[in-house]
């Protein structure tokens, strides 16, 4: 088995337009979640200028790549434009535009399903009464897999590719799938893209009606005042690469993806399953060969849903045991909102950024933890932290449980 | 509807879908494929022209590789 490393990251969300800005926002603990002016559900939406400009390619992007990205995403729905931007950022960050890897040795996994709900309802509103004028390109744009096709054309990726869906655990499911491709040698490099979920009004309302999304202003994840998740717009990309390939190219290794696990809870509903969560974390740590005392940081799934926060806190206490006081815990969703399908990848980027930066971001607003048994990062101001091993969780409706373990590069 | 109005609509919609194309190059003797439009671009352009002109032509009636002049004629017969 090959050692799986991270050699590039890219992100766009309510608090940052790229990974560099993301690090600054995490250090500050900037809250992207804003209350709705008319008292409706709070949300962390992309800055309007950022949204209109997508995809934004980083400085240093070759002109040909820039033109191709522009051509491929013209008039494309927001999720696709965001995905192309973060994929290009991670690709260039990994130096893959300079020290190339053959296209057939590169894989592409897009994490997320049901990504086109808003586009579908927009088209329905406009064309239901005159279907002959529906743009034929909709046949492509309405496929989640348009993300795969478009990014593969942009970056000339010719290895294995697909979308992976696991509700809000999609990001971690994508990381697991990508890690397997690299670990088994099917690919030397695999991009894992967490796709932006652009909810239609119907999907948003369903999440409200089922009681998962906060209907109005609520406290942050893990606080006694939590009351559901705040939706976050975001997309992220991680370049996974075998250590051998990274060495051969002279690419800098940002972190090692040392362990992973993905399992079901035999449950089709919205309820979390603490036992399944604990089993997932334990297996991911076991695969990484780390013990509870080695874990210095946990990026919790922590959406702010009271049942979910309670189940995860209890599972963490159980998994970490006596070492629970040694691991910092925060929820990036307090800053970015819940990026749904992309959450696991956004939080993988947050984990790698904090690991490299030697800090743990604050939990803004967390004044009275509902479960005081964890070592929560403070509400204001991050803390310096030497993160050797980090655990990042992602759980989804329908019994999906995913955990990944990152290790600082040797 | 006169041919000039239809040609102008084709020019507008072609540039909307593929801005790199110089509208002056969109002449009756050229095909959209020659001008650098891929298959989905061409389908989008033709549909957008129909939307703009409020006409409907079954897509099966468009011949692949047809010059712009032939498109104009086909669209005119359905206008």
């Amino acid at each position: 088995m090959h050692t799986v490393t991270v050699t590039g990251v890219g992100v766009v969300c309510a608090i940052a337009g790229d990974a560099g800005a993301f690090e600054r926002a995490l250090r500050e603990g900037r809250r992207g979640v804003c209350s709705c002016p008319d008292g409706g559900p709070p949300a962390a939406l992309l800055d309007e200028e950022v949204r209109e400009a997508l995809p934004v390619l980083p400085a240093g992007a070759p002109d040909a790549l820039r033109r191709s990205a522009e051509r491929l995403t013209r008039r494309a729905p927001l999720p696709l434009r965001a995905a192309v931007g973060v994929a290009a950022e991670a690709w260039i960050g990994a130096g893959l535009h300079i020290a190339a890897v053959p296209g057939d040795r590169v894989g592409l996994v897009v994490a997320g399903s049901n990504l086109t709900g808003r586009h579908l309802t927009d088209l329905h509103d406009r064309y239901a009464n005159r279907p002959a004028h529906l743009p034929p390109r909709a046949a492509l744009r309405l496929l989640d897999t348009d993300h795969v096709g478009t990014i593969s054309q942009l970056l000339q990726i010719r290895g294995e590719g697909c979308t992976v869906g696991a509700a809000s655990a999609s990001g971690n499911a994508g990381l697991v799938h990508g890690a397997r491709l690299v670990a088994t040698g099917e690919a030397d490099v695999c991009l894992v893209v967490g796709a932006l979920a652009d909810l239609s009004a119907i999907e948003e309302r369903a999440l409200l009606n089922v009681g998962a999304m906060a209907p109005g202003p609520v406290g942050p994840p893990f606080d006694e005042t939590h009351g559901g998740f705040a939706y976050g717009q975001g997309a992220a990309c991680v370049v996974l690469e075998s250590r051998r390939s990274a060495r051969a190219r002279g690419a800098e290794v940002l972190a090692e993806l040392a362990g992973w696990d993905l399992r079901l809870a035999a449950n089709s509903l919205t309820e979390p399953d603490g036992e399944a969560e604990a089993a997932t974390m334990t297996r991911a740590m076991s695969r990484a060969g780390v013990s509870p005392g080695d874990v210095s940081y946990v990026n919790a799934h922590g959406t702010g849903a009271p049942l979910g926060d309670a189940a995860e806190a209890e599972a963490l206490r159980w998994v970490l045991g006596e070492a629970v006081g040694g691991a910092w815990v925060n929820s990036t969703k307090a800053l970015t909102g819940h990026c749904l399908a992309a959450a696991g990848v956004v939080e993988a980027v947050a984990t790698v950024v904090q690991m490299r930066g030697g800090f743990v971001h604050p939990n803004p607003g967390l004044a009275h933890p509902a479960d005081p048994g964890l070592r929560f990062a403070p509400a204001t101001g991050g803390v310096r932290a030497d993160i050797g091993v980090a655990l990042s969780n992602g759980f989804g409706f329908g019994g999906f449980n995913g955990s990944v373990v990152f290790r600082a590069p040797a | 509807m006169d041919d000039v109005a239809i040609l102008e609509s084709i020019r507008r919609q072609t540039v909307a879908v593929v801005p790199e194309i110089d509208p002056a190059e969109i002449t009756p003797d050229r095909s959209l494929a020659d001008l650098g439009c891929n298959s989905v671009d061409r389908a989008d352009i033709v549909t957008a022209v129909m939307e703009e002109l409020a006409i409907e032509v079954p897509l099966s009636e468009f011949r692949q590789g047809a010059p712009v002049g032939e498109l104009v004629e086909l669209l005119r017969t359905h206008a």
Side-chain angles (χ1 to χ4, degrees):
Chain A
M1 295 292 261
H2 296 272
T3 299
V4 182
T5 71
V6 176
T7 54
V9 294
V11 64
V12 63
C13 61
I15 58 170
D18 60 36
F22 195 44
E23 174 169 355
R24 294 190 290 278
L26 292 177
R27 283 186 184 277
E28 284 173 27
R30 192 179 310 154
R31 271 209 93 179
V33 180
C34 298
S35 38
C36 180
D38 56 13
L45 304 180
L46 293 183
D47 177 80
E48 201 174 324
E49 274 179 35
V50 169
R51 191 178 66 223
E52 292 309 313
L54 290 173
V56 178
L57 268 63
D63 284 346
L65 191 71
R66 214 173 272 284
R67 278 196 302 277
S68 178
E70 156 76 23
R71 175 93 158 86
L72 286 166
T73 61
R74 185 166 304 131
R75 305 201 293 183
L78 174 63
L80 185 68
R81 291 188 289 114
V84 163
V86 297
E89 184 191 0
W91 182 263
I92 287 164
L96 286 161
H97 61 308
I98 299 166
V101 168
D104 64 349
R105 296 297 304 155
V106 181
L108 172 60
V109 174
V110 172
S113 44
N114 314 106
L115 303 170
T116 63
R118 178 176 288 274
H119 191 54
L120 177 63
T121 55
D122 286 351
L123 289 172
H124 185 272
D125 289 348
R126 187 162 174 191
Y127 293 105
N129 296 324
R130 44 194 185 99
H133 296 151
L134 174 69
R137 197 179 305 265
L140 293 167
R141 294 296 190 225
L142 290 172
L143 298 173
D144 291 337
T145 49
D146 193 33
H147 285 67
V148 179
T150 302
I151 295 169
S152 73
Q153 185 174 339
L154 177 71
L155 301 175
Q156 292 297 296
I157 293 171
R158 296 171 192 277
E160 184 172 323
C162 60
T163 61
V164 168
S168 292
S170 291
N172 277 4
L175 290 166
V176 169
H177 192 90
R180 283 200 189 113
L181 289 179
V182 173
T184 56
E186 291 287 330
D188 294 328
V189 169
C190 184
L191 268 71
V192 179
V193 177
L196 186 148
D198 195 15
L199 299 176
S200 64
I202 293 288
E203 289 164 306
E204 183 178 326
R205 188 70 217 191
L207 288 167
L208 271 171
N209 287 2
V210 81
M213 188 184 270
V218 290
F222 295 114
D223 195 74
E224 281 175 350
T225 59
H226 56 182
F229 76 81
Y231 164 63
Q233 281 182 330
C237 177
V238 167
V239 175
L240 300 179
E241 183 166 9
S242 71
R243 183 156 63 194
R244 193 171 66 179
S245 171
R247 276 190 184 148
R249 299 194 298 120
E252 185 184 6
V253 168
L254 308 178
E256 185 187 324
L257 178 48
W260 54 84
D261 193 62
L262 183 65
R263 65 198 36 251
L264 299 172
N267 178 359
S268 66
L269 304 177
T270 59
E271 279 81 3
D273 182 325
E275 276 184 38
E277 293 178 10
T280 305
M281 293 184 229
T282 301
R283 290 173 65 107
M285 287 161 56
S286 163
R287 178 183 283 271
V290 302
S291 54
D294 298 325
V295 178
S296 36
Y297 167 59
V298 179
N299 187 301
H301 180 63
T303 65
L307 278 178
D309 287 358
E312 186 177 15
E314 188 181 0
L316 275 168
R317 280 193 281 106
W318 191 79
V319 166
L320 297 176
E322 290 178 359
V324 73
W328 289 108
V329 178
N330 61 19
S331 169
T332 303
K333 293 182 182 76
L335 283 58
T336 60
H338 186 352
C339 297
L340 301 173
V345 186
V346 170
E347 289 153 28
V349 173
T351 300
V352 170
V353 162
Q354 291 171 92
M355 184 176 263
R356 285 182 60 74
F359 72 100
V360 172
H361 76 67
N363 285 302
L366 179 57
H368 301 288
D371 186 328
L374 299 178
R375 189 191 192 193
F376 288 110
T380 51
V383 285
R384 288 187 54 82
D386 188 12
I387 303 172
V389 173
L391 178 69
S392 179
N393 288 332
F395 309 126
F397 289 172
F400 289 100
N401 300 281
S403 294
V404 289
V405 173
F406 292 95
R407 188 189 281 128
Chain B
M1 194 175 307
D2 65 36
D3 287 5
V4 175
I6 296 171
L7 182 61
E8 280 312 307
S9 175
I10 291 173
R11 285 191 171 130
R12 262 193 304 280
Q13 298 303 337
T14 300
V15 174
V17 174
V18 189
E20 295 86 351
I21 296 176
D22 175 359
E25 296 207 356
I26 305 169
T27 50
D29 57 312
R30 306 284 303 272
S31 76
L32 293 176
D34 288 345
L35 293 162
C37 301
N38 65 36
S39 59
V40 182
D41 293 336
R42 300 198 295 274
D44 263 4
I45 291 164
V46 168
T47 311
V49 170
M50 291 194 282
E51 182 176 7
E52 186 184 334
L53 303 179
I55 56 177
E56 291 186 19
V57 184
L59 284 174
S60 57
E61 292 194 20
F62 290 96
R63 192 171 63 83
Q64 202 167 349
V68 167
E70 190 178 316
L71 294 182
V72 170
E73 201 179 316
L74 181 59
L75 288 158
R76 176 171 25 80
T77 59
H78 287 80

